[in-house]
Amino acid sequence: METLIRTQLEADGVLVATIDMPDRTMNVFSADLMEALDALMDRVDADAQVRSVVLTSGKPTFLAGADLVMVRGYTESAKTATHEQMFAKCGRLGRQFVRLEQSAKPWVAAVNGIALGGGLELALACRVRIVSDEPRTQIGVPEVRWGLLPGAGGTQRLPRLAGFEAAMDLLLSGRSIAPAEAVRLGIFARTVPAAQLLDEARAEARAMHGKAYDVKAKFAKLAQADVSPFTAEGARAIALRHGVSDADFDLYPAYSAIVDSVLKGARLSLAEATDVEMTQFLRLMFNPVAGHMVRTLFLERLRAERELAAPKGTAIERLAVGPLRSSHKPWIDALARLKVAQAPDAALGEGTIDIVDAQGGRHPVALATLDSPLPEASMAAVLAPVGPYGRVLEIIGGDDQTAALLCALAPRLGALPWRTPGPASVLQQLRGATLEEQARTALKCAAAAGAGDIAFLDVAACLSGVTPAWTGGPLTWLWAGREKFVPAFDAASRDAWNRLQPALHRAFA
């Protein structure tokens, strides 16, 4: 097995353990990294020369959470595995963190960059946590964004460190915070300049040599007097207080699983509370929503970002911008932030830009939004609003060279480029329709010549906000309910289904 955690034992008994996964830009928890962590803990327990551990990263980030390909595998396993099998498989990391936390030899987390999800949970399991004051460092538990909950102690340690309300805010919003706020909330002991981080962590570790683990000393809110007893009504009220609507509470099971985990795990030992948390995590594994969201909003989205990117070498010299009205406000705002040379050009038609390439060629594009009518033009671009998962630039029709330039422009607008054959906008057709109407429309659009990868239609629909994220997209939703909906299709929809069914099976089965 490749070395995933490098170690250096210093003369004073401090073992510096550096997580550095080969061939990855970021460390993530995988099955191999869990094996490496077990081996590290075995060594720490067995080697009398090791008196403490400083845990850090060999990359600019600390650890960016679980490998969501692995998590997607969990959702697939849940289709056939028993509860006991899933508990053993999915609960491994949480049990590892309980073991690490209770070690007779103190562990100190020296967090040198982004610590999200399982990365933060790893740090929380350490007796002491210090963090670099690097401004780009993000701390958080974003799992709710993919229909999940932090399943390795995050719902239990955060309330015991930061208090109930602060923890619920982080868990239910999935937002990231800066190091200074993490210190203010009691999640970390202090921020440290990056150049001093390891020296400070070593000093913390040495100061605890020979001292037994004291759960009361670690957790400022261990008594959890601020956590109310569990009731179903109380759980819903807590979520509502933190901005979760009644409708979303019902449609996204992660919200209730998070609140239930915190309430039901309160005041238990961390070992017992971790089991409570895993029971709630498995609720999500046995529910299709998490699998749909992970696949569409993470795995397929990453693939779309790679495969829909502009060809290498595509360069934009500047933009000429025609008159824009209030109906083009998303474009006006996006262009104002765009770091590309641009100048107004009154000779252009209203709502039009010319993209000037590196050779001076001009490529006209008609601009639209989800709310504005689609202009009659050979090439149009529909910019969706920014949503919780990003935004989309739908590129409609036109020639390949202009489409490539728009694909190069899209990431600078913070958008995913997605090309459709036209003549109508797919996103505009989906917007405002019922899920059944969206499914039929998406099916016909996906079956059209030049429609591209069907999974990317779901990605675009969810990123743009026209289809609720819990569905995984209109085609994912249709596939899940095909036994109900396909028999009621009209002839055109049935024809599209028959032509597309093999591709749907490959994508979603």
Side-chain angles (χ1 to χ4, degrees):
M1 182 186 295
E2 295 177 300
T3 300
L4 304 184
I5 306 178
R6 303 192 309 271
T7 58
Q8 178 180 333
L9 180 60
E10 302 184 346
D12 55 7
V14 176
L15 182 72
V16 178
T18 304
I19 304 171
D20 195 356
M21 302 179 75
D23 303 320
R24 286 185 183 260
T25 57
M26 290 186 178
N27 297 319
V28 294
F29 264 112
S30 63
D32 286 344
L33 185 55
M34 285 189 271
E35 291 287 345
L37 181 59
D38 268 337
L40 175 61
M41 290 191 290
D42 289 344
R43 177 189 173 185
V44 170
D45 290 347
D47 190 342
Q49 292 185 309
V50 176
R51 303 187 65 194
S52 63
V53 182
V54 168
L55 193 61
T56 192
S57 167
K59 300 186 186 298
T61 58
F62 181 66
L63 202 150
D67 181 349
L68 286 184
V69 175
M70 178 179 70
V71 174
R72 173 64 182 158
Y74 291 166
T75 66
E76 290 298 309
S77 296
K79 295 177 180 178
T80 56
T82 66
H83 186 278
E84 290 73 20
Q85 290 169 329
M86 291 295 293
F87 196 96
K89 177 184 288 189
C90 300
R92 180 183 181 185
L93 192 59
R95 293 189 294 273
Q96 287 182 306
F97 290 171
V98 170
R99 176 187 174 188
L100 184 157
E101 181 172 58
Q102 295 178 348
S103 173
K105 300 174 183 181
W107 291 60
V108 176
V111 173
N112 60 316
I114 290 171
L116 297 174
L120 178 57
E121 290 176 298
L122 173 60
L124 295 179
C126 295
R127 280 199 210 177
V128 173
R129 301 151 305 286
I130 59 177
V131 58
S132 163
D133 62 4
E134 166 61 48
R136 290 175 294 180
T137 296
Q138 300 175 49
I139 308 296
V141 278
E143 283 87 345
V144 71
R145 293 167 51 81
W146 296 290
L148 301 168
L149 61 74
T155 67
Q156 304 307 315
R157 292 186 180 90
L158 276 176
R160 288 164 171 81
L161 288 167
F164 178 71
E165 292 296 337
M168 294 311 302
D169 170 53
L170 294 174
L171 290 163
L172 291 174
S173 69
R175 72 182 181 93
S176 298
I177 58 176
E181 185 177 356
V183 171
R184 181 181 64 79
L185 292 175
I187 299 170
F188 283 80
R190 63 184 182 277
T191 60
V192 177
Q196 302 170 25
L197 182 65
L198 279 180
D199 286 342
E200 293 273 348
R202 291 185 183 100
E204 286 282 357
R206 284 193 300 268
M208 292 187 289
H209 282 177
K211 295 182 179 179
Y213 172 59
D214 182 352
V215 66
K216 293 181 180 178
K218 176 175 178 177
F219 293 108
K221 307 291 195 307
L222 182 65
Q224 294 194 276
D226 55 349
V227 183
S228 58
F230 169 79
T231 66
E233 297 79 8
R236 183 179 289 269
I238 289 165
L240 185 64
R241 189 165 72 241
H242 286 273
V244 180
S245 69
D246 277 333
D248 282 351
F249 190 80
D250 291 332
L251 291 171
Y252 295 86
Y255 290 126
S256 63
I258 287 169
V259 180
D260 289 3
S261 183
V262 174
L263 297 184
K264 293 180 178 181
R267 295 172 288 277
L268 299 177
S269 71
L270 263 297
E272 294 171 308
T274 299
D275 284 349
V276 169
E277 178 183 80
M278 184 46 50
T279 298
Q280 298 302 320
F281 184 85
L282 292 184
R283 275 179 54 191
L284 304 178
M285 291 298 99
F286 287 109
N287 186 300
V289 168
H292 293 166
M293 292 180 71
V294 168
R295 180 177 60 211
T296 297
L297 294 170
F298 185 79
L299 301 178
E300 294 295 0
R301 176 185 177 172
L302 289 180
R303 188 167 68 88
E305 289 173 352
R306 293 192 304 269
E307 296 185 16
L308 300 180
K312 191 173 181 179
T314 304
I316 298 173
E317 185 68 23
R318 60 185 174 86
L319 299 181
V321 183
L324 300 178
R325 297 190 180 275
S326 58
S327 60
H328 298 105
K329 189 175 187 309
W331 276 105
I332 294 170
D333 294 342
L335 292 172
R337 294 188 296 269
L338 182 66
K339 294 181 179 180
V340 172
Q342 51 190 292
D345 188 338
L348 294 177
E350 181 181 302
T352 300
I353 61 170
D354 273 4
I355 305 177
V356 182
D357 63 29
Q359 289 73 42
R362 295 174 71 104
H363 304 265
V365 179
L367 307 183
T369 68
L370 290 182
D371 296 317
S372 64
L374 193 67
E376 291 186 9
S378 61
M379 172 67 79
V382 176
L383 184 64
V386 179
Y389 300 97
R391 77 189 314 177
V392 175
L393 180 68
E394 184 182 1
I395 301 165
I396 304 169
D399 62 276
D400 291 345
Q401 187 177 5
T402 305
L405 290 165
L406 282 167
C407 288
L409 181 66
R412 302 186 191 188
L413 300 172
L416 173 75
W418 180 52
R419 191 176 182 186
T420 59
S425 160
V426 174
L427 295 180
Q428 287 185 348
Q429 292 178 76
L430 296 177
R431 188 172 192 192
T434 67
L435 284 175
E436 289 188 43
E437 292 168 342
Q438 285 196 7
R440 288 193 295 270
T441 298
L443 186 66
K444 293 172 185 176
C445 291
D453 194 308
I454 61 173
F456 297 164
L457 189 155
D458 276 356
V459 173
C462 289
L463 285 190
S464 65
V466 300
T467 304
W470 66 266
T471 65
L475 294 175
T476 295
W477 184 83
L478 172 61
W479 180 260
R482 60 192 180 279
E483 293 182 1
K484 175 182 177 182
F485 298 117
V486 173
F489 276 172
D490 58 26
S493 298
R494 179 64 65 91
D495 178 65
W497 171 264
N498 290 337
R499 285 186 283 123
L500 207 60
Q501 188 175 6
L504 292 168
H505 186 273
R506 287 193 299 270
F508 306 129

